[in-house]
Amino acid sequence: MKHKGKAKAAFHRMMLRALGIYWVLGLLLIMVSRFLIPGILMAGVITLTGLLIGFALFAGYFFRDPDAQVPVGNGLIVAPGHGTVDVIDETEELSILGGRCRRISIFLSVFNVHVQQAPVAGTVIRVCHTPGQFLNAMKLESAALNENVLIGFQTLEPACGPVAIKLITGLIARRIIPWVQEGDVVAKGERVSLIQFGSRVDIYLPLQAKVAVALGDRVVGGETVVARLEG
């Protein structure tokens, strides 16, 4: 499957950086050890090692990337991310949907999977990065003000029109890594991006889409049907 293993590669890169910091701090401790009270060096090494192990366990959990069990059926729109639905409304999305559309917003805590999936099968028609703020992703205004990446899809199903997702940074999550580019053909549920740490994902749908989730629902990226499109 496309992009499988990329989250694990990101974890490995992060751990290499963490190990680098660990060795630098360890060397600094050794360099100043003669000025420290006996036992401080050992306590410092134990503390640093404990922090590294704790970070490795958390990061390994955070970068997990389970395979999606994608539902089969015409017109089914699956969740683009793992998290909790906290907004269902209508809004304006001009660049891809061309006006009024339905929006479903999913909040991703640091305990959720942070790989995102294509909500539909189709062609990627736009990938657009917009700089912005880094408000807490729990705040609804973060969808409008925070740094984000907008990805548009032209669905394969006739007369359904385009669908878009917006990957939104948070207070801690400050890096969005798209794995697709314009012109790519994607399958429904295919991995398309990674957001590092807590964040938000919006999905924009045509007005004729029938929403299949409710506020407070927990959704699984690539699996949970969030809406149905009717041609």
Side-chain angles (χ1 to χ4, degrees):
M1 288 178 282
K2 290 182 182 177
H3 312 300
K4 184 171 183 177
K6 286 189 173 181
K8 183 180 291 187
F11 165 69
H12 290 159
R13 289 192 295 271
M14 180 170 286
M15 287 310 303
L16 283 174
R17 290 193 291 269
L19 279 170
I21 294 171
Y22 171 81
W23 287 115
V24 168
L25 293 176
L27 288 173
L28 287 174
L29 273 175
I30 292 172
M31 290 170 63
V32 302
S33 61
R34 59 178 176 171
F35 304 109
L36 301 176
I37 300 172
I40 293 294
L41 175 61
M42 182 58 68
V45 170
I46 291 173
T47 300
L48 282 177
T49 303
L51 289 173
L52 179 66
I53 293 172
F55 179 76
L57 291 173
F58 170 75
Y61 176 76
F62 175 85
F63 283 103
R64 67 198 188 280
D65 182 16
D67 291 330
Q69 302 300 312
V70 184
V72 177
N74 294 329
L76 301 181
I77 311 299
V78 297
H82 302 65
T84 303
V85 175
D86 62 356
V87 176
I88 301 173
D89 64 3
E90 291 186 14
T91 187
E92 297 283 335
E93 203 298 302
L94 300 177
S95 61
I96 297 170
L97 275 293
R100 202 74 181 163
C101 62
R102 298 195 186 282
R103 174 177 64 167
I104 300 172
S105 191
I106 302 167
F107 172 69
L108 288 64
S109 78
V110 294
F111 301 107
N112 290 122
V113 173
H114 271 62
V115 172
Q116 288 77 52
Q117 281 83 11
V120 293
T123 301
V124 177
I125 56 175
R126 185 163 188 182
V127 179
C128 179
H129 171 259
T130 302
Q133 301 180 40
F134 297 97
L135 301 176
N136 189 326
M138 293 184 70
K139 297 181 177 180
L140 299 184
E141 58 266 33
S142 66
L145 300 176
N146 280 18
E147 181 169 332
N148 64 80
V149 172
L150 185 69
I151 302 177
F153 305 89
Q154 179 59 54
T155 61
L156 293 179
E157 297 178 43
C160 286
V163 169
I165 61 174
K166 182 186 284 187
L167 315 172
I168 303 162
T169 62
L171 182 64
I172 300 174
R174 300 200 172 204
R175 191 176 183 199
I176 301 171
I177 309 172
W179 293 334
V180 293
Q181 57 187 356
E182 293 177 13
D184 285 355
V185 176
V186 299
K188 185 186 302 180
E190 181 180 311
R191 298 167 174 87
V192 295
S193 61
L194 170 70
I195 308 177
Q196 293 187 184
F197 302 109
S199 51
R200 178 176 294 277
V201 178
D202 286 356
I203 178 169
Y204 300 97
L205 305 167
L207 288 175
Q208 71 265 28
K210 307 298 182 184
V211 176
V213 290
L215 293 177
D217 283 358
R218 294 184 180 275
V219 296
V220 177
E223 294 188 14
T224 305
V225 175
V226 296
R228 294 177 173 83
L229 281 174
E230 301 175 356

